[in-house]
């Protein structure tokens, strides 16, 4: 395991332990609304602090971009390395006791994703990837599915719950893919959806309105598992735009073809 990946795994497991302890008494936990349908708990904050502590102890010169605390420079100022952290992806699921949430940590070096970890503490599933070295689930190599026809495909998605301005565009895409696939699942934690694409549990995924910490680690997993990742036109820039599509190569192309007529200019 790459040393930087090892540090990320340690940080993710520490955060996962905090989350699992808190899940026993989730009904007693104070919840704050950041904005429409976007919540934060003390668990999010505690998990993020634990992750940052592990990362900064090992790499004090690295920058960090985290969901709750935002961006921070490394000890030496501007850095070529940036850790992208979501301490608890799926907070709404967590506060309802719905067991679909995860810790997501990625490393970007000179603009290129190089390390990725997604940890599901409820199932003890650890997804990891290092650029050029493949993707793994609990140390077992994973690959995207081999399904060739979109009519047989199971897709994942997420509704644009934070900003509803794109809802009509999204619903048009949802309808187009609903009628031409075997099914669509909306579980509420994008990082795990992406990990499931990498592991072949889903054949593809698309969503709009995501943040970098929702996508970074999962996208690297998919690429290292033999899949494709792009924006809704199949181009780069998805990490900045928050509009992502991904899947095994054949399903990816067919997804883009199905939603293309419904994209707003």
């Amino acid at each position: 395991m790459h040393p930087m990946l090892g540090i990320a795994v340690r940080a993710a497991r520490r955060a996962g332990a905090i989350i699992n302890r808190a899940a026993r008494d989730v009904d007693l936990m104070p919840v704050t609304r950041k904005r429409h349908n976007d919540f934060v708990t003390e668990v999010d904050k505690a998990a993020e602090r634990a992750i940052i502590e592990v990362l900064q102890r090992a790499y004090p010169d690295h920058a960090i971009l985290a969901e709750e605390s935002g961006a921070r420079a490394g000890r030496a100022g501007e850095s070529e390395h940036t850790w992208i952290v979501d301490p608890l992806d799926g907070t709404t699921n967590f506060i309802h006791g719905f067991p679909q949430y995860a810790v997501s940590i990625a490393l970007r070096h000179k603009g290129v994703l190089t390390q990725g970890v997604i940890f599901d503490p409820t199932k003890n599933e650890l997804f990891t990837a290092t650029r050029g070295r493949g993707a793994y689930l609990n140390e077992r190599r994973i690959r995207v599915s081999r399904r060739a026809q979109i009519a047989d495909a199971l897709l994942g998605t997420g509704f644009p719950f934070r900003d509803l301005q794109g809802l009509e565009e999204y619903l048009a895409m949802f309808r187009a893919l609903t009628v031409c696939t075997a099914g669509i699942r909306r579980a509420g934690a994008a990082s795990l959806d992406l990990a499931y694409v990498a592991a072949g549990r889903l054949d593809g995924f698309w969503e709009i309105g995501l943040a970098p910490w929702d996508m970074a680690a999962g996208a690297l997993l998919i690429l290292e598992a033999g899949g494709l990742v792009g924006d809704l036109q199949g181009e780069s820039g998805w990490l900045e735009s928050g509009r992502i599509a991904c899947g095994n190569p054949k399903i990816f192309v067919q997804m883009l073809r199905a939603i293309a007529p419904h994209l707003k200019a």
Side-chain angles (χ1 to χ4, degrees), residues 13 23 51 60 90 117 131 150 176 184 195 226 248 264:
R13 287 197 178 277
I51 292 168
V117 174
R131 182 176 174 81
I150 197 166
I184 296 176
N248 80 41
K264 289 186 176 180

Side-chain angles (χ1 to χ4, degrees), residues 15-16 34 38 62 69 73-74 84-85 87 103 128 146 162 172 174 185 193 207 210 218 238 245 248 260 265:
K34 294 191 288 187
D38 197 3
H62 289 190
S69 58
I84 305 173
V85 175
V103 181
T128 58
R146 297 181 179 178
R162 295 187 185 106
F174 185 88
R185 301 291 180 263
D193 289 334
E207 190 167 349
L210 292 176
W238 47 270
N248 80 41

Side-chain angles (χ1 to χ4, degrees), residues 1-103:
M1 180 179 290
H2 191 284
M4 291 184 179
L5 184 64
I7 293 297
V9 167
R10 185 186 308 169
R13 287 197 178 277
R14 183 170 298 182
I18 292 170
I19 293 166
N20 277 342
R21 285 196 298 271
R24 301 169 191 161
D25 299 304
V26 69
D27 291 339
L28 304 177
M29 190 178 308
V31 178
T32 302
R33 187 188 298 268
K34 294 191 288 187
R35 50 181 168 163
H36 178 72
N37 285 343
D38 197 3
F39 303 95
V40 62
T41 70
E42 288 304 314
V43 178
D44 296 75
K45 297 175 183 177
E48 184 169 295
R49 286 194 297 269
I51 292 168
I52 291 173
E53 180 183 348
V54 172
L55 297 179
Q56 288 189 324
R57 185 183 301 127
Y59 302 107
D61 293 338
H62 289 190
I64 295 175
L65 175 64
E67 179 176 14
E68 305 306 334
S69 58
R72 64 180 73 192
R75 184 180 60 184
E78 188 175 345
S79 174
E80 294 179 343
H81 293 85
T82 300
W83 293 96
I84 305 173
V85 175
D86 192 338
L88 178 51
D89 181 31
T91 299
T92 301
N93 286 349
F94 175 77
I95 62 181
H96 285 83
F98 187 81
Q100 186 78 357
Y101 45 82
V103 181

Side-chain angles (χ1 to χ4, degrees), residues 4-244:
M4 291 184 179
L5 184 64
I7 293 297
V9 167
R10 185 186 308 169
R13 287 197 178 277
R14 183 170 298 182
I18 292 170
I19 293 166
N20 277 342
R21 285 196 298 271
R24 301 169 191 161
D25 299 304
V26 69
D27 291 339
L28 304 177
M29 190 178 308
V31 178
T32 302
R33 187 188 298 268
K34 294 191 288 187
R35 50 181 168 163
H36 178 72
N37 285 343
D38 197 3
F39 303 95
V40 62
T41 70
E42 288 304 314
V43 178
D44 296 75
K45 297 175 183 177
E48 184 169 295
R49 286 194 297 269
I51 292 168
I52 291 173
E53 180 183 348
V54 172
L55 297 179
Q56 288 189 324
R57 185 183 301 127
Y59 302 107
D61 293 338
H62 289 190
I64 295 175
L65 175 64
E67 179 176 14
E68 305 306 334
S69 58
R72 64 180 73 192
R75 184 180 60 184
E78 188 175 345
S79 174
E80 294 179 343
H81 293 85
T82 300
W83 293 96
I84 305 173
V85 175
D86 192 338
L88 178 51
D89 181 31
T91 299
T92 301
N93 286 349
F94 175 77
I95 62 181
H96 285 83
F98 187 81
Q100 186 78 357
Y101 45 82
V103 181
S104 179
I105 304 173
L107 179 63
R108 204 176 186 186
H109 179 233
K110 295 182 178 179
V112 177
L113 294 169
T114 58
Q115 311 292 338
V117 174
I118 295 173
F119 179 50
D120 179 348
T122 69
K123 303 180 187 69
N124 195 32
E125 290 191 330
L126 180 71
F127 299 86
T128 58
T130 294
R131 182 176 174 81
R133 298 189 185 182
Y136 295 83
L137 167 55
N138 292 343
E139 300 182 359
R140 177 180 60 83
R141 186 76 179 262
I142 54 176
R143 300 287 296 179
V144 295
S145 73
R146 297 181 179 178
R147 203 154 278 108
Q149 299 299 323
I150 197 166
D152 302 319
L154 181 65
L155 305 184
T157 190
F159 297 113
F161 62 95
R162 295 187 185 106
D163 183 358
L164 300 182
Q165 290 185 350
L167 185 58
E168 292 305 317
E169 179 190 24
Y170 171 81
L171 289 175
M173 292 185 277
F174 185 88
R175 177 180 176 81
L177 288 170
T178 296
V179 300
C180 70
T181 62
I184 296 176
R185 301 291 180 263
R186 198 278 184 184
S191 63
L192 277 179
D193 289 334
L194 295 171
Y196 285 7
V197 172
R201 297 173 179 176
L202 293 171
D203 302 299
F205 173 86
W206 92 100
E207 190 167 349
I208 64 177
L210 292 176
W213 44 78
D214 298 316
M215 302 178 284
L220 181 62
L221 282 164
I222 292 167
L223 292 170
E224 289 298 318
L228 296 177
V229 180
D231 66 11
L232 300 186
Q233 288 83 29
E235 305 294 335
S236 60
W238 47 270
L239 199 63
E240 292 73 28
S241 72
R243 297 163 67 90
I244 189 172

